[in-house]
Amino acid sequence: QVQLVESGGGLVQPGGSLRLSCAASGFTFNLYAMAWYRQAPGKQRELVAVISSGGTPNYAVSVKGRFTISRDNAKNTVNLQMNSLKPEDTAIYYCNAKRIVIYWGQGTQVTVSS
């Protein structure tokens, strides 16, 4: 049974930091590209960051320089370190695994507000 379980979301003030984690199980983690998407109220889901099976990261322009994606193939986890958070980063953040098929987590809420 495939599972992607996100954690680490919450309420943070502008300029603050959060670290999201996604624990994966039920598939061969090291063969999959892993990504974080987000969806703000009334908006489409958008790609935030992706890391290839080989460990190469790529970022949306809006988060480049502020967010860092990483993976630990020994622990089957993917993380998203988010720094210098802005109110426009407020969204539900979803973990995603992609190879031939795509898996999604349930999401974790991130709210950036003073």
Side-chain angles (χ1 to χ4, degrees), residues 4-59:
L4 294 173
V5 181
E6 300 98 334
S7 61
L11 173 64
V12 64
Q13 291 187 342
S17 298
L18 280 176
R19 183 177 177 85
L20 305 183
S21 292
C22 173
S25 60
F27 61 98
T28 308
F29 180 81
N30 63 300
L31 297 181
Y32 281 67
M34 299 298 298
W36 288 93
Y37 285 73
R38 68 186 180 189
Q39 188 166 18
K43 295 189 175 181
Q44 288 190 331
R45 193 172 295 189
E46 63 174 359
L47 176 66
V48 175
V50 59
I51 186 164
S52 70
S53 58
T56 301
N58 278 288
Y59 301 94

